[in-house]
């Protein structure tokens, strides 16, 4: 079994039944599956059991980073940048008058803010994600990782 190839195939959810069977035997003698990277180990459990144990998921998530897009190279090169973000918020205020009368006032506001990013912001670790996010219905590890990444990045956006 070629270690690099099996690690890659597990991460990409392409491991064959023969590869998984060989890993099943290895698991009996080495429950830590030490030949696998943390992410590949998560892929093994996802493929075999459909669930990734919490400790395996947490270890795998600590090895993944999201790299800033357009300005990522500048950030990694040590430059600092300013990102401008606009946000539109719809508001609704509801007020009850007496027993049976409700008044609703709706309006929309728009805000613009800037966020200063230094090179330490060029990447963001996914290790704060709950392991539950890796145990979604999808059989492919990459699908649930991408969903988890999108959720984490969405929570990091500043709000006006």
């Amino acid at each position: 079994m070629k270690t690099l190839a099996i690690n890659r195939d597990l991460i990409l959810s392409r491991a064959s039944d023969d590869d998984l069977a060989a890993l099943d035997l290895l698991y009996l003698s080495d429950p830590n599956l030490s030949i696998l990277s943390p992410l590949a180990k998560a892929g093994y459990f996802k493929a075999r059991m459909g669930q990734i144990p919490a400790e395996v998921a947490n270890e795998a998530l600590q090895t993944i980073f999201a790299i800033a897009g357009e300005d990522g190279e500048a950030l990694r090169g040590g430059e600092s940048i300013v990102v401008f973000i606009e946000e539109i918020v719809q508001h609704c205020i509801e007020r009850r008058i007496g027993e049976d009368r409700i008044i609703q006032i709706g309006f929309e506001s728009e805000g613009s803010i800037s966020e200063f990013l230094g090179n330490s912001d060029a990447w963001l670790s996914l290790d704060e994600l709950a392991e539950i996010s890796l145990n979604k219905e999808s059989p492919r590890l990459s699908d649930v990782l991408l969903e988890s990444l999108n959720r984490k990045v969405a929570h990091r956006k500043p709000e006006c």
Side-chain angles (χ1 to χ4, degrees):
M1 176 181 305
K2 293 186 177 182
T3 306
L4 181 60
I6 190 63
N7 274 273
R8 183 192 63 233
D9 289 345
L10 285 166
I11 291 168
L12 297 175
S13 302
R14 296 190 317 209
S16 69
D17 288 338
D18 290 341
D19 288 336
L20 292 172
L23 287 169
D24 291 342
L25 290 174
L26 177 64
Y27 182 69
L28 295 174
S29 61
D30 179 13
N32 290 327
L33 293 169
S34 55
I35 68 162
L36 299 180
S37 72
L39 194 52
K41 195 183 309 182
Y44 167 76
F45 283 104
K46 186 76 172 166
R48 264 306 183 226
M49 299 175 209
Q51 292 284 84
I52 304 168
E55 64 278 359
V56 173
N58 287 329
E59 182 184 5
L61 289 169
Q62 290 174 24
T63 67
I64 304 171
F65 293 86
I67 306 297
E70 302 158 359
D71 299 305
E73 288 303 316
L75 286 168
R76 290 191 325 175
E79 295 179 38
S80 297
I81 63 168
V82 176
V83 178
F84 294 94
I85 298 163
E86 291 188 20
E87 181 177 59
I88 297 173
V89 179
Q90 294 181 345
H91 306 269
C92 180
I93 299 173
E94 188 174 281
R95 178 80 177 168
R96 182 177 292 276
I97 299 175
E99 291 286 320
D100 56 351
R101 189 163 180 208
I102 296 176
I103 296 176
Q104 289 185 341
I105 301 171
F107 62 96
E108 187 175 278
S109 65
E110 185 175 329
S112 179
I113 61 171
S114 60
E115 182 179 21
F116 176 80
L117 300 176
N119 79 330
S120 63
D121 299 307
W123 54 85
L124 118 88
S125 169
L126 298 189
D127 61 357
E128 297 168 15
L129 289 172
E131 72 276 357
I132 191 76
S133 63
L134 292 185
N135 286 317
K136 295 286 186 183
E137 308 246 337
S138 172
R140 292 175 43 143
L141 181 63
S142 56
D143 292 344
V144 292
L145 284 173
L146 183 59
E147 181 185 330
S148 298
L149 169 64
N150 286 335
R151 191 167 42 260
K152 171 123 184 201
V153 170
H155 289 310
R156 294 241 331 173
K157 292 180 182 173
E159 296 178 5
C160 302

